[in-house]
Amino acid sequence: MAATPLPPQGPAMGNPSMDGGANPAMPPPPGTDMTGICFRDQLWLNTYPLDRNLVFDYFALSPFYDWTCSNEQLRSRAIHPLDLSQLSKMTGMEYMLSEVMEPHLFVIRKQKRDGPEKVTPVLTYYILDGSIYQAPQLGNVFAARIGRALYHISKAFTIASTKLEKVGNADAENESVSSESKPQKEAIDIKELKRVDHILGALGRKLPPAPPPPAFPEGYVPLTAASDSDKAPEDQQPSDGQAPSIDPIIDQGPAKRLRIQ
C-alpha cells in the first residue's frame, strides 16, 4: 500500500506521547469553526492520485488536521491511519472516512472515541475535487437560512410600503388635478339677464300675431265639457232617447284588420 512520505520527526515535529509532553513548535489544534477557509495543494495533486488509500495523507497536510489524534499515532507506527481494527482499540480524537465518491468527493468525520462501540461525532470535513472544506454545523445552517429569510421578508415589506406611498401620492395628485380641471360655476349677471329679456320682448312685438287655432272636428267634445260630464254622479244613467257622446277620434274601437286566408 503506497503512502506519502511522513514529515520528519525532529525537534520541530516530535511525538508528544514519546517526548513526555507537547512540543511548543507543534501546530496548534484546529478550531471548531473554520468554515471560512479551504485548503488545496496542487503540487501534491499533480504528484499522487487522490483515492481512498492516499486521501488521509492529503488531508493531514491541511490546517484542519489535529496532530494529537489517534490516526497520527498509527502513522508514526507505519500503520494505515484509517485501520478501524486498530482505531477501535484506542480512545480520543480520531478521523474516519465516512463517504467516498472517487475521485471527486471524500467525506471525513472527526469523532471522539470513548470505547470500541462508543463514538461521538464532532465535526465533518469534505474534499471536493481536491479542495478541502469544513462542513458547517446544522445549527449554523439553520441560523443562516432563517437570517436570510428574515432579510428577504423585511426587504419585501420595505418595497411594499414604498409602493403604497407612491400609490397614495398618485391618488392625491389625481384628486388635485381633477379638482383643478372642474370648471367653476359662472356668476349670473342680473343686468345681462334683463338685457336679454328686453331684446327677446322687442323681437316678439315685431313679429305678427299667432294665427288662431283650427276648429274642432264635427262631434268632438272639448276637454272642459268632458271634465264637466265626469263630475256627474256615477249612478246617473243616460236616457234611452239620447246617445252617449262618443269621441269620433279616440273611441273608434279596435281597428279592423284584413284577414289573410
Side-chain angles (χ1 to χ4, degrees):
M1 179 172 52
T4 57
L6 297 177
Q9 295 193 10
M13 297 295 292
N15 194 330
S17 61
M18 299 177 62
D19 296 344
N23 196 314
M26 177 173 266
T32 56
D33 187 6
M34 301 178 67
T35 55
I37 64 173
C38 70
F39 175 81
R40 184 181 181 88
D41 190 344
Q42 192 62 41
L43 181 60
W44 192 98
L45 295 173
N46 295 335
T47 306
Y48 302 98
L50 190 60
D51 54 15
R52 65 177 63 243
N53 294 324
L54 299 178
V55 66
F56 192 84
D57 295 330
Y58 179 62
F59 179 77
L61 301 176
S62 68
F64 306 108
Y65 184 65
D66 188 356
W67 289 89
T68 62
C69 64
S70 301
N71 308 86
E72 183 61 25
Q73 297 180 24
L74 295 180
R75 293 181 71 198
S76 64
R77 292 184 290 175
I79 303 175
H80 195 278
L82 298 177
D83 190 352
L84 184 57
S85 61
Q86 298 294 330
L87 290 174
S88 60
K89 301 175 182 179
M90 308 171 70
T91 57
M93 289 293 177
E94 64 182 24
Y95 294 93
M96 287 295 298
L97 188 62
S98 60
E99 295 183 16
V100 177
M101 293 179 60
E102 294 181 349
H104 302 290
L105 179 63
F106 301 88
V107 179
I108 298 177
R109 183 175 66 246
K110 184 179 181 180
Q111 59 190 11
K112 182 180 180 181
R113 181 177 294 274
D114 297 323
E117 300 295 336
K118 186 178 181 181
V119 293
T120 304
V122 178
L123 292 172
T124 303
Y125 305 90
Y126 62 95
I127 303 174
L128 181 62
D129 293 331
S131 298
I132 306 177
Y133 306 88
Q134 177 185 341
Q137 297 184 5
L138 188 60
N140 297 336
V141 173
F142 280 132
R145 296 293 177 87
I146 293 173
R148 186 179 301 177
L150 292 176
Y151 167 75
H152 288 294
I153 291 173
S154 61
K155 185 177 180 181
F157 275 110
T158 303
I159 295 175
S161 62
T162 55
K163 295 288 185 181
L164 292 176
E165 291 178 359
K166 291 181 181 179
V167 171
N169 295 335
D171 293 341
E173 292 177 0
N174 294 334
E175 291 179 359
S176 61
V177 171
S178 60
S179 62
E180 293 177 358
S181 61
K182 288 182 180 179
Q184 297 180 356
K185 294 182 179 180
E186 298 181 358
I188 299 175
D189 191 356
I190 303 299
K191 294 182 179 180
E192 188 68 19
L193 184 61
K194 290 182 178 180
R195 179 172 172 273
V196 172
D197 291 341
H198 177 72
I199 293 174
L200 292 177
L203 292 175
R205 288 191 296 271
K206 292 181 181 180
L207 294 175
F216 294 107
E218 184 178 357
Y220 179 76
V221 180
L223 296 177
T224 56
S227 61
D228 295 339
S229 63
D230 293 339
K231 293 179 181 179
E234 296 180 359
D235 57 349
Q236 184 178 0
Q237 299 291 335
S239 61
D240 297 338
Q242 296 180 356
S245 59
I246 300 175
D247 192 340
I249 299 176
I250 299 175
D251 298 333
Q252 293 296 327
K256 293 182 179 180
R257 299 180 179 176
L258 294 177
R259 294 181 180 180
I260 300 175
Q261 297 180 355

